[in-house]
């Protein structure tokens, strides 16, 4: 096939499709309009909007872990785009292949150096900032470079120890028509598309090692629920269950059920679980595994940080069950997790009595299937009498979410 003239970003989209990407997770913005137009013209790739850049990266992370292919995130450059770094770091630590696109308004040369107080707004230099948390970060300065840059990005993201790659594309260059012929396909290394669930990649190419972390002391907070949760979700022999959690004790025991898959966090920030589960669920639905179940187990300190992504999950009909384990020390006097979930269009229920846990989880599973939305079960050992009533005695400790 001879060369044809197409917008440079359309060549990038065709390469994404050729590499197996069926969803782009992103934050809409003017600088990404050429990309959206190319996605519509090409077809075959859906777009799922995230609440912010970090959520988009975690969603692509979950999709990549489930499929074994490189996930794709697209973010418009701006102050909020710096949040992308948290997602890139998590993917780097857990060896997850990602291709992240940042869109810029224009390719104008940098403004001359002036005192900061007189300088106009400049978007953050994500290429420089991302250098430490990616395998490659490249700014496109020639539209003819876009096809080759994207093909290389997918190859680099997968080869050796997988990880994230960032490409920065000014909108004006993305829309320029280029003469584009077939871009050679780099052969994949053996095991390059091995799914990352049930373990975390080591530094050896294609190697997977099980997560093995000692459990917390027995009886700590609401961890009494873990053994019963394992029984509940293992009692579904016909379908697979994917458990997404950053709590090591969730996977320390009872993880050998043949149809229960682990999606653990090693380097992700608190709150990583909800957007990652969106990516996992999207990947399962796209390959027709709608009977599979996705379960998030998160603590009370991490959940509020990315709870806003529940709104997108409700909008795009991405169902899963969220089990929130919150002890009295996790209580935020200003936030009721169940009401927060309801505010984002999702159902929720609180469990204080261990005898009610099983029925609450079964209700959540049915509700998620019927509504095609996330459903929250908040599990607590007890509820402090003054919860949601007045200032905490130690506000610094209460608001210190930690890592």
């Amino acid at each position: 096939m001879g060369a044809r003239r197409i917008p440079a970003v359309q060549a990038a989209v065709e390469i994404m499709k050729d590499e197996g990407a069926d969803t782009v997770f992103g934050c809409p913005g003017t600088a990404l309009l050429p990309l959206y137009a190319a996605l519509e013209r090409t077809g075959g790739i859906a777009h799922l909007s995230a609440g912010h850049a970090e959520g988009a990266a975690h969603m692509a992370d979950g999709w990549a872990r489930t499929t074994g292919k490189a996930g794709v995130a697209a973010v418009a450059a701006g102050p909020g785009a710096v949040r992308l770094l948290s997602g890139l770091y998590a993917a780097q630590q857990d060896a997850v292949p990602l291709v992240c696109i940042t869109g810029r308004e224009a390719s104008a040369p940098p403004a001359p150096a002036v005192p900061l107080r007189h300088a106009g707004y400049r978007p953050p230099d994500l290429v420089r900032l991302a250098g430490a948390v990616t395998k490659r970060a490249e700014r496109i300065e020639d539209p003819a470079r876009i096809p080759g840059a994207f093909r290389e990005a997918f190859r680099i993201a997968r080869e050796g120890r997988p990880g994230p790659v960032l490409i920065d594309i000014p909108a004006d260059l993305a829309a320029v028509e280029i003469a584009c012929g077939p871009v050679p396909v780099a052969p994949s290394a053996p095991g390059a598309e091995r799914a990352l669930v049930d373990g975390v990649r080591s530094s050896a190419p294609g190697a997977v090692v099980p997560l093995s972390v000692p459990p917390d002391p027995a009886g700590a907070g609401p961890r009494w629920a873990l053994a019963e949760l394992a029984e509940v979700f293992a009692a579904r022999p016909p379908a697979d269950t994917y458990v997404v959690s950053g709590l090591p004790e969730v996977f320390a025991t009872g993880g050998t059920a043949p149809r229960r898959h682990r999606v653990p966090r090693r380097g992700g920030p608190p709150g990583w679980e909800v957007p990652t589960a969106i990516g996992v669920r999207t990947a399962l639905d796209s390959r027709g595994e709608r009977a599979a179940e996705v379960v998030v187990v998160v603590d009370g300190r991490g959940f509020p940080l990315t709870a806003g992504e529940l709104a997108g999950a409700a909008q795009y009909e991405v169902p899963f069950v969220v089990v929130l384990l919150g002890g009295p020390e996790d209580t935020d006097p200003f936030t009721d997790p169940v009401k927060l979930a309801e505010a984002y269009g999702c159902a929720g229920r609180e469990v204080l009595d261990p005898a009610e846990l099983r029925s609450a989880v079964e209700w959540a599973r049915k509700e998620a299937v019927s509504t095609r939305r996330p459903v929250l079960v908040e599990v607590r050992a007890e509820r402090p009498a003054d919860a949601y009533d007045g200032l905490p005695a130690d506000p610094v400790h209460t608001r210190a979410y930690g890592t």
Side-chain angles (χ1 to χ4, degrees):
M1 181 185 296
R4 55 200 172 110
R5 296 197 66 81
I6 57 174
V9 74
Q10 184 170 336
V13 169
E14 291 177 2
I15 289 170
M16 291 182 212
K17 190 173 181 179
D18 185 54
E19 294 284 352
D22 59 26
T23 306
V24 171
F25 302 92
C27 297
T30 304
L32 292 177
L33 289 178
L35 174 65
Y36 300 149
L39 288 172
E40 186 174 354
R41 281 193 303 268
T42 304
I45 301 181
H47 181 271
L48 196 154
S49 294
H52 54 69
E54 179 185 338
H58 294 327
M59 291 176 193
D61 182 315
W63 185 95
R65 288 171 185 256
T66 309
T67 63
K69 302 174 183 177
V72 179
V75 176
V82 176
R83 292 182 173 183
L84 184 66
L85 299 177
S86 294
L88 295 175
Y89 175 77
Q92 180 198 53
Q93 291 298 299
D94 285 356
V96 179
L98 296 185
V99 174
C100 296
I101 307 158
T102 55
R104 292 190 170 274
E105 291 291 343
S107 57
V114 294
L116 184 62
R117 65 182 181 275
H118 299 306
Y121 166 72
R122 301 178 193 171
D125 188 349
L126 287 174
V127 172
R128 180 176 61 84
L129 294 174
V133 292
T134 57
K135 298 181 72 176
R136 172 187 282 186
E138 177 180 358
R139 174 173 292 114
I140 299 297
E141 298 177 350
D142 178 0
R145 166 68 183 146
I146 289 178
F150 269 81
R151 188 66 83 183
E152 290 173 14
F154 280 93
R155 174 182 58 80
I156 292 170
R158 292 191 308 262
E159 71 180 3
R161 186 180 191 275
V165 176
L166 182 138
I167 303 177
D168 184 79
I169 307 178
D172 55 343
L173 298 188
V176 170
E177 287 195 352
I178 61 172
C180 182
V183 180
V185 180
S188 297
E193 291 191 356
R194 184 172 182 178
L196 303 181
V197 297
D198 300 318
V200 181
R201 284 189 188 271
S202 71
S203 57
V208 176
V209 295
L211 183 68
S212 178
V213 183
D216 280 355
R223 268 53 175 182
W224 52 266
L226 290 176
E228 187 163 358
L229 287 173
E231 293 179 8
V232 171
F233 289 107
R236 270 185 100 227
D240 292 83
T241 299
Y242 291 76
V243 182
V244 182
S245 183
L247 305 177
E249 59 268 34
V250 173
F251 305 113
T253 59
T256 58
R259 303 189 72 89
R260 200 175 98 194
H261 306 283
R262 305 177 302 164
V263 186
R265 165 176 67 91
R266 182 168 62 183
W272 164 92
E273 292 88 347
V274 167
T276 300
I278 293 174
V280 172
R281 176 78 265 175
T282 301
L284 294 172
D285 285 350
S286 67
R287 64 190 192 200
E289 297 183 28
R290 292 173 72 90
E293 191 169 37
V294 177
V295 182
V296 168
V297 183
V298 63
D299 63 23
R301 300 190 179 196
F303 173 73
L305 302 180
T306 56
E309 301 299 352
L310 291 174
Q315 176 186 353
Y316 291 99
E317 298 186 339
V318 183
F320 51 89
V321 175
V322 180
V323 179
L324 189 158
L325 304 178
E329 72 282 0
D330 295 333
T331 299
D332 182 342
F334 302 104
T335 305
D336 182 331
V338 172
K339 291 181 179 178
L340 182 62
E342 291 172 348
Y344 290 124
C346 305
R349 180 177 293 183
E350 183 183 75
V351 175
L352 296 177
D353 184 351
E356 298 176 356
L357 175 61
R358 186 176 293 265
S359 62
V361 171
E362 292 295 349
W363 164 80
R365 298 166 85 174
K366 295 176 182 177
E367 189 75 8
V369 171
S370 63
T371 63
R372 297 294 299 173
R373 294 184 176 189
V375 179
L376 172 71
V377 175
E378 181 191 9
V379 182
R380 289 190 179 276
E382 60 180 343
R383 169 73 71 193
D386 61 347
Y388 317 133
D389 183 21
L391 290 170
D394 184 359
V396 173
H397 173 74
T398 300
R399 304 300 294 183
Y401 292 100
T403 56

